[in-house]
């Protein structure tokens, strides 16, 4: 019979790649060679479950759960001394030192884990982590605040913590996390998805990145500002806040006074802030932005829908002075004086989503004239257009972008060509400026009369000779149904119109290239 050690590595690799994590664990516990192979193939990419690992303390031939494994180990060995010399512990002891990613599904029996800690401290010094190389830990289910697992599972090597928990009292969660961070103080990346729960994460003093799913408040925000000065990346996906704006303001003043925090709060290292997936009204996010200095902020995504015009203008003006290094903005807001965004002189990437009736062409032209470094400009609508409510921007906006933004590579704008007289007659349309680096052009929607599609394609090919992607969303102004609205999905007729418009554009662009080659 062939011995395990004699199986060619190539064959072992092919077999291991077909196994799930649990069966791979069983293979890893067979011998040292297979342990190294299993970790290299799969466990560096997939987290090991603690219950699977602890099966090694029992019989590998029997399908035991975690509790049965511990019972079997204690019943058969008759004490810690005999357990330490058992094959099961020797394999687990070797394997635990190599694990870099671990998943713990709670609840766990605290007595069993206390026994595991006793085994650990029989071979290691007191305070040593069970997984000394652990860099990523995922906790799911419900945290048990006084559970021994948080005291010895991880150490200074832990950098990433993922919490996918069910709702439970905030105090229980914070107690468990404080115990964990006292032994693993160097966590830099935290993803915490705990619905209907407000948990402060100020105990993570080395935190660089936080993805938060829960209930926000000024108390939560202030704890984060005070406890996480090194935070660089903050992503917030939250549920509804039940306090009013006035209650939040009063809480903010109370918290600032109690904690002795300066006014305003500060995130001195924050570079990325995403508040788009915030499901509240805009007032909580407004309080966050109004109350906080973020001098290093470079990337901002925020949903301020239903914010009044004057409040939106004031907030954007405040951000332009407090966060002058912003180079990427994604803004969802119903109404704004769009030219005010020109105060961000270092913008490279701008996405604005708003009420189409507020997209005044003169304001947008004023905006692009102040953004010479922009490389990506997307203008989207929060509402569907109709034949009657055509977009205001015309080809004049496109030419102004070409004339003032020489580095731009991607554009999406609504466009109305029905007011361009040369597109409806025999007069040739020639753009006054052209793009030199544009690669992607999206006109959504493009209001155009069917007879103008050919002339417009020729005009657009001259304007965008470097374009490699062209995505129009046509809506014909044929007068048949003035109240007809666009739909989010393309109808068969619209799909046909898009294909025709694209074909005309590519033919015109290719013709222009051939003409230039012949003239040379």
């Amino acid at each position: 019979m062939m011995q395990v050690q004699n199986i060619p590595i190539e064959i072992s690799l092919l077999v291991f790649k077909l196994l799930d994590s649990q069966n791979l664990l069983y293979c890893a516990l067979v011998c040292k060679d297979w342990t190294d192979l299993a970790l290299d193939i799969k466990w560096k990419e997939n987290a090991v479950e603690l219950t699977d690992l602890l099966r090694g303390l029992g019989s590998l031939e029997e399908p035991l759960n975690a509790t049965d494994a511990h019972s079997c180990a204690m019943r058969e060995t008759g004490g810690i001394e005999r357990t330490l010399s058992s094959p099961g512990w020797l394999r687990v002891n070797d394997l635990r030192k190599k694990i870099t990613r671990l998943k713990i599904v709670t609840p766990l029996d605290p007595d069993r884990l206390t026994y595991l800690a006793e085994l650990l401290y029989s071979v290691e010094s007191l305070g040593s982590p069970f997984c000394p190389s652990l860099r990523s830990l995922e906790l799911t289910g419900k945290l048990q605040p006084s559970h021994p697992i948080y005291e010895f599972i991880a150490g200074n090597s832990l950098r990433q913590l993922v919490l996918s928990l069910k709702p439970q009292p905030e105090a229980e969660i914070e107690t468990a996390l404080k115990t964990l961070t006292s032994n693993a103080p160097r966590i830099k990346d935290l993803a915490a998805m705990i619905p209907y729960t407000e948990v402060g994460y100020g105990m993570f003093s080395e935190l660089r990145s936080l993805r938060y799913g829960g209930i926000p408040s000024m108390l939560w925000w202030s704890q984060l500002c005070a406890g996480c000065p090194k935070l660089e990346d903050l992503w917030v996906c939250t549920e509804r806040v039940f306090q009013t704006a006035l209650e939040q303001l009063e809480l903010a003043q109370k918290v600032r006074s109690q904690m002795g925090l300066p006014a305003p709060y500060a995130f001195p290292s924050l570079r990325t802030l995403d508040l788009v997936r915030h499901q509240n009204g805009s007032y909580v996010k407004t309080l966050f932005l109004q109350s906080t200095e973020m001098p290093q902020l470079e990337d901002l995504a925020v949903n301020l829908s239903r914010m009044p015009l004057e409040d939106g203008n004031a907030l954007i003006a405040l951000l332009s002075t407090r966060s002058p290094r912003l180079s990427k903005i994604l803004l969802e807001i119903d109404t704004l004086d769009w030219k005010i965004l020109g105060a961000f002189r270092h913008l490279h990437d701008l996405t604005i989503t708003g009420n189409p009736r507020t997209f005044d062409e003169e304001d947008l032209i004023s905006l692009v004239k102040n953004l010479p470094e922009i490389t990506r400009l997307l203008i989207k609508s929060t509402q569907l257009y109709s034949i009657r409510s055509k977009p205001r921007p015309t080809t004049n906006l496109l030419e102004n972008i070409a004339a003032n933004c020489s580095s731009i590579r991607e554009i999406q704008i609504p466009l109305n060509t029905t007011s361009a007289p040369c597109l409806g007659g025999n007069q040739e349309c020639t753009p006054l400026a052209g793009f030199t680096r544009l690669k992607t052009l999206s006109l959504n929607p493009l209001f155009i009369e069917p007879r103008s599609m050919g002339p417009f394609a020729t005009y657009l090919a001259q304007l965008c000779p470097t374009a490699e992607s062209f995505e129009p969303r046509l809506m014909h102004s044929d007068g048949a149904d003035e109240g007809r609205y666009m739909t989010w999905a393309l109808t068969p007729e619209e799909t046909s119109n898009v294909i025709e418009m694209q074909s005309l554009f590519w033919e015109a662009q290719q013709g222009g290239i051939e003409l230039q080659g012949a003239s040379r």
Side-chain angles (χ1 to χ4, degrees):
M1 180 181 295
M2 179 178 286
Q3 299 294 318
V4 166
Q5 292 83 350
N6 296 330
I7 299 177
I9 293 178
E10 294 78 8
I11 295 179
S12 299
L13 287 173
L14 291 174
V15 174
F16 285 178
K17 288 180 180 180
L18 302 176
L19 301 179
D20 58 25
S21 295
Q22 180 174 328
N23 288 315
L24 197 62
L25 170 66
Y26 290 136
C27 293
L29 293 171
V30 170
C31 64
K32 185 179 185 302
D33 291 339
W34 277 23
T35 296
D36 295 337
L37 279 177
L39 286 173
D40 288 340
I41 291 174
K42 208 162 189 178
W43 283 359
K44 287 184 178 180
E45 300 177 0
N46 299 279
V48 180
E49 283 203 31
L50 180 62
T51 51
D52 288 342
L53 177 63
L54 298 185
R55 286 189 175 94
L57 291 176
S59 172
L60 293 178
E61 285 75 28
E62 298 177 12
L64 302 177
N65 58 35
T67 301
D68 291 337
H70 282 289
S71 299
C72 179
M74 287 187 290
R75 182 174 63 251
E76 292 182 355
T77 58
I80 288 180
E81 292 298 328
R82 292 185 61 186
T83 301
L84 292 175
S85 61
S86 68
W89 168 253
L90 293 176
R91 291 162 180 160
V92 169
N93 187 43
D94 181 58
L95 188 59
R96 68 176 179 84
K97 301 174 184 178
K98 301 177 181 180
I99 292 175
T100 59
R101 300 185 64 187
L102 184 68
K103 180 178 180 181
I104 299 177
V105 180
T106 57
L108 295 170
D109 187 338
D111 293 335
R112 308 302 182 189
L113 271 297
T114 299
Y115 180 72
L116 183 64
E118 292 176 2
L119 291 173
L120 172 66
Y121 296 142
S122 297
V123 296
E124 302 279 0
S125 59
L126 191 64
S128 298
F130 183 73
C131 298
S133 301
L134 190 65
R135 297 187 65 84
S136 176
L137 175 62
E138 180 180 354
L139 301 175
T140 66
K142 284 190 176 183
L143 296 185
Q144 297 158 272
S146 58
H147 201 286
I149 189 68
Y150 310 117
E151 299 177 1
F152 71 90
I153 193 65
N156 283 329
S157 64
L158 189 62
R159 295 293 183 271
Q160 182 183 54
L161 178 63
V162 178
L163 304 175
S164 301
L165 305 177
K166 298 177 181 178
Q168 68 183 103
E170 288 90 345
E172 294 183 0
I173 298 174
E174 292 182 4
T175 299
L177 293 180
K178 287 178 181 178
T179 303
L180 179 64
T181 55
S182 65
N183 295 284
R186 301 177 66 182
I187 296 173
K188 295 184 177 181
D189 187 350
L190 173 62
M193 300 298 160
I194 314 175
Y196 314 115
T197 307
E198 178 186 338
V199 178
Y201 297 101
M203 74 281 286
F204 295 91
S205 59
E206 296 294 318
L207 202 61
R208 302 294 198 277
S209 175
L210 172 62
R211 295 174 66 84
Y212 177 74
I215 297 177
S217 70
M218 285 305 301
L219 174 60
W220 170 80
W221 185 262
S222 62
Q223 289 174 334
L224 209 57
C225 289
C228 306
K230 300 178 183 180
L231 192 64
E232 297 177 358
D233 183 5
L234 177 56
W235 182 92
V236 183
C237 178
T238 63
E239 297 91 16
R240 185 171 299 279
V241 173
F242 297 102
Q243 296 103 330
T244 65
L246 179 59
E247 289 171 336
Q248 286 285 322
L249 284 171
E250 292 175 349
L251 179 60
Q253 295 170 355
K254 181 179 180 180
V255 169
R256 181 180 287 128
S257 175
Q258 290 177 344
M259 302 183 68
L261 297 175
Y265 302 130
F267 275 124
S269 303
L270 195 67
R271 297 182 182 276
T272 302
L273 177 60
D274 189 332
L275 297 173
V276 167
R277 296 163 187 83
H278 205 301
Q279 297 176 15
N280 301 309
S282 60
Y283 77 87
V284 176
K285 291 167 285 188
T286 302
L287 292 177
F288 291 167
L289 297 174
Q290 288 176 338
S291 64
T292 312
E293 294 272 9
M294 295 174 283
Q296 302 298 321
L297 192 65
E298 298 175 355
D299 184 345
L300 173 65
V302 60
N303 181 346
L304 299 174
S305 57
R306 296 187 294 277
M307 175 174 276
L309 174 63
E310 293 182 359
D311 293 346
N313 289 343
L315 181 58
I316 296 301
L318 180 64
L319 284 172
S320 67
T321 58
R322 285 186 174 175
S323 303
R325 301 182 61 176
L326 272 168
S327 60
K328 182 178 180 179
I329 294 179
L330 188 156
L331 179 62
E332 296 182 9
I333 188 169
D334 290 332
T335 180
L336 190 74
D337 287 337
W338 301 108
K339 60 180 179 292
I340 199 172
L341 292 168
F344 298 98
R345 298 289 181 166
H346 299 291
L347 269 183
H348 292 279
D349 189 327
L350 176 61
T351 300
I352 52 180
T353 303
N355 188 320
R357 288 187 290 273
T358 69
F359 290 146
D360 182 77
E361 185 173 58
E362 292 184 4
D363 281 354
L364 294 176
I365 290 175
S366 298
L367 170 62
V368 299
K369 286 182 177 179
N370 288 310
L371 300 177
E373 299 180 12
I374 195 80
T375 60
R376 185 171 183 261
L377 176 63
L378 308 183
I379 302 176
K380 304 178 182 181
S381 171
T382 56
Q383 301 177 16
L384 292 169
Y385 289 90
S386 70
I387 297 296
R388 189 180 294 113
S389 61
K390 301 178 181 67
R392 297 181 179 182
T394 67
T395 53
N396 189 30
L397 174 60
L398 264 181
E399 294 195 22
N400 270 276
I401 297 174
N404 295 283
C405 308
S406 59
S407 300
I408 199 157
R409 296 177 180 274
E410 181 178 355
I411 296 174
Q412 176 179 327
I413 61 171
L415 194 68
N416 178 14
T417 68
T418 58
S419 60
C422 64
L423 294 179
N426 298 322
Q427 180 182 353
E428 182 179 352
C429 266
T430 303
L432 299 178
F435 294 99
T436 57
R437 298 184 180 181
L438 186 68
K439 299 300 181 184
T440 303
L441 175 64
S442 175
L443 302 178
N444 187 3
L446 170 61
F447 278 73
I448 189 169
E449 295 180 0
R451 59 175 181 160
S452 301
M453 291 174 61
F456 179 68
T458 303
Y459 163 82
L460 202 60
Q462 296 174 15
L463 183 65
C464 311
T466 60
E468 298 175 356
S469 175
F470 175 48
E471 297 294 336
R473 172 69 190 271
L474 273 67
M475 195 167 187
H476 288 320
S477 179
D478 53 15
D481 186 359
E482 289 290 322
R484 181 169 61 87
Y485 279 83
M486 295 178 63
T487 57
W488 294 116
L490 287 172
T491 65
E493 180 183 0
E494 289 171 335
T495 301
S496 176
N497 292 335
V498 166
I499 294 173
E500 182 181 358
M501 186 74 243
Q502 289 173 321
S503 299
L504 290 170
F505 171 76
W506 296 125
E507 289 174 5
Q509 189 188 65
Q510 185 61 33
I513 293 174
E514 293 174 355
L515 185 62
Q516 287 182 357
S519 64
R520 290 175 184 172

